[in-house]
């Protein structure tokens, strides 16, 4: 099942590709990166001891890639997702997002970069309770200063294009898990971000609904968006063009 994009456009010119060991095609490593981490560490101070959730992480993601970050529980992939999403700052190292040094930004600058560049899809949906699907999807536009009427128009268009045109006024408790995740995807793309971060997006879904969400991510990728998928499931990760494995807070060889 496929879903039209919020802002359909002609397919971008295919970037040059190379073949990884095993024959998996990927974006050419010299393509400009949208994500670049160098020596990124994240240490949490509990008061009694320090816990290193990330330790010297280095990798790049080129524009237009579909990358899966894979690791078991406790590997550091959730911390990495928070850093990539500008929800947390590294303790050391540098992170450049679309050429911007994230570490140089104030909290307000970080929030602005996050709202304009990144769309989030979470395992638990993170929808506002007792709030309609339409208003849930429109919420990110409010932080960009978009007027109320335009917010509702764009949110309705996103939901309709994801097959939820008859659910605009439904609250999360009135929707199935698969429908709630589609609302979350609509919310992620309504601001037209270049990067989609999907954190275990199929984790709470049955097989059919999970397949629909993966089909959505593939459709967004074909439309030119960069997708970074965080997962512990090998079957889900295998659908990405490239995998980055995290173990004990480090990128595994």
């Amino acid at each position: 099942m496929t879903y039209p994009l919020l802002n359909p456009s002609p397919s971008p010119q295919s970037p040059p590709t190379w073949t990884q060991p095993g024959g998996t095609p990927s974006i050419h490593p010299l393509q400009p990166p949208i994500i670049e981490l160098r020596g990124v560490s994240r240490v949490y101070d509990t008061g009694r001891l320090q816990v290193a959730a990330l330790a010297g992480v280095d990798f790049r993601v080129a524009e237009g890639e579909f990358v899966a970050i894979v690791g078991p529980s406790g590997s550091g992939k959730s911390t990495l997702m928070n850093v990539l999403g500008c929800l947390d700052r590294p303790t050391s190292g540098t992170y450049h997002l679309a050429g911007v040094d994230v570490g140089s930004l104030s909290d307000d600058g970080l929030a602005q970069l996050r709202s304009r560049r990144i769309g989030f899809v979470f395992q638990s949906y993170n929808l506002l309770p007792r709030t309609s699907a339409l208003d849930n999807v429109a919420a990110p536009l409010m932080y960009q200063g978009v007027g109320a009427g335009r917010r509702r128009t764009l949110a309705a268009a996103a939901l309709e294009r994801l097959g939820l045109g008859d659910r605009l006024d439904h609250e999360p408790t009135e929707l199935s898990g698969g429908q709630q995740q589609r609302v979350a995807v609509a919310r992620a793309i309504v601001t037209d971000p270049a990067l989609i971060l999907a954190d275990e997006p199929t984790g709470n879904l049955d097989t059919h609904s999970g397949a629909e969400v993966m089909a959505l991510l593939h459709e967004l990728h074909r439309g030119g968006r960069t997708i970074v998928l965080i997962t512990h499931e090998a079957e889900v990760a295998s659908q990405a063009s490239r995998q980055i494995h995290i173990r004990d807070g480090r990128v595994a060889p």
Side-chain angles (χ1 to χ4, degrees), residues 63-206:
E63 288 190 36
E65 273 198 280
F66 190 153
V67 174
I69 295 176
V70 192
S73 177
S75 62
K77 65 182 186 300
S78 293
T79 300
L80 179 57
M81 186 269 184
N82 287 337
V83 169
L84 293 176
C86 300
L87 299 169
D88 195 6
R89 294 178 184 268
T91 304
S92 60
T94 60
Y95 170 32
H96 286 80
L97 174 61
V100 177
D101 182 357
V102 171
S104 68
L105 299 176
S106 65
D107 288 347
D108 287 344
L110 202 64
Q112 186 177 50
L113 179 68
R114 183 171 61 239
S115 70
R116 295 186 179 278
R117 294 284 188 173
I118 306 172
F120 294 92
V121 181
F122 297 99
Q123 177 178 351
S124 56
Y125 321 134
N126 285 18
L127 300 178
L128 299 171
R130 298 180 297 279
T131 304
S132 70
L134 184 68
D135 287 338
N136 263 288
V137 174
L141 295 167
M142 179 175 61
Y143 300 108
Q144 292 190 1
V146 178
R150 181 63 174 163
R151 290 201 303 267
R152 293 178 66 84
T153 298
L154 291 173
L159 287 164
E160 287 167 3
R161 286 170 170 81
L162 297 185
L164 293 172
D166 59 345
R167 297 289 191 272
L168 301 184
D169 296 326
H170 285 57
E171 296 180 4
T173 56
E174 300 171 318
L175 301 171
S176 69
Q179 289 171 333
Q180 289 184 63
Q181 194 60 295
R182 276 192 274 162
V183 172
V185 173
R187 180 186 58 193
I189 66 173
V190 74
T191 58
D192 197 26
L195 172 64
I196 302 291
L197 288 181
D199 186 14
E200 302 280 6
T202 64
N204 286 345
L205 302 177
D206 58 46

